[in-house]
Amino acid sequence: MIAILGFGVEIFTTQLISIWFAVSALINLFLVSMHIGLKWQLIQFIVTGVTLLLIFRPLAKKLQPKFHPMNAADGIIGKTGTVLNDQRVKVDGQLWKYAAVEKLNTGDSVKVVALNGVTLQVQKIKGREE
């Protein structure tokens, strides 16, 4: 029962902790069939679970792909767009409010240099008109 619970918990987590104790519980299932006493089952469960955890978790962590959630700043900075009017710029088909150090005109091509809240900080791309 503990093995099933351990595997079940591990399905919903990515920390690779309970899986080792689930393996330990499966070994205990074998010990029960051999009529080994409860004291030795408990010792085996703890020792095996902790040992497997200490050996394999660092290895599993190294092999696990790194997850970096993408936010708007990750995808929008560095992109180019077109000024639509004095308040909006179109980048990747989306309309954004923008701020710029220099005066921009409708149709100017701009590059996104930063994202401040929901406002893009842009700069004009020199020598390029759309």
Side-chain angles (χ1 to χ4, degrees), residues 2 20-21 23-25 27-29 31-32 36-52:
I2 293 174
W20 311 120
F21 290 99
V23 170
S24 186
I27 294 170
N28 258 4
L29 185 63
L31 294 178
V32 167
I36 303 295
L38 182 60
K39 178 176 104 176
W40 292 108
Q41 291 176 35
L42 184 59
I43 290 170
Q44 180 282 137
F45 178 77
I46 293 169
V47 170
T48 305
V50 169
T51 302
L52 289 172

Side-chain angles (χ1 to χ4, degrees), residues 8-111:
V9 167
E10 200 60 50
I11 288 171
F12 296 106
T13 67
T14 59
Q15 298 302 310
L16 295 174
I17 293 174
S18 61
I19 190 80
W20 311 120
F21 290 99
V23 170
S24 186
L26 283 175
I27 294 170
N28 258 4
L29 185 63
F30 176 72
L31 294 178
V32 167
S33 70
M34 295 182 59
H35 305 291
I36 303 295
L38 182 60
K39 178 176 104 176
W40 292 108
Q41 291 176 35
L42 184 59
I43 290 170
Q44 180 282 137
F45 178 77
I46 293 169
V47 170
T48 305
V50 169
T51 302
L52 289 172
L53 177 67
L54 293 175
I55 291 172
F56 289 108
R57 186 161 191 275
L59 176 65
K61 224 174 169 183
K62 284 180 186 176
L63 296 175
Q64 194 173 27
K66 303 288 184 247
F67 175 71
H68 300 287
M70 187 173 180
N71 59 30
D74 293 332
I76 201 82
I77 295 176
K79 299 263 180 155
T80 59
T82 305
V83 176
L84 299 178
N85 55 40
D86 62 345
Q87 295 179 346
R88 301 280 178 209
V89 64
K90 188 173 188 176
V91 179
D92 270 355
Q94 297 179 340
L95 300 179
W96 291 83
K97 186 175 176 183
Y98 75 90
V101 175
E102 58 194 313
K103 172 80 172 108
L104 299 175
N105 298 313
T106 302
D108 285 346
S109 293
V110 293
K111 180 178 180 178

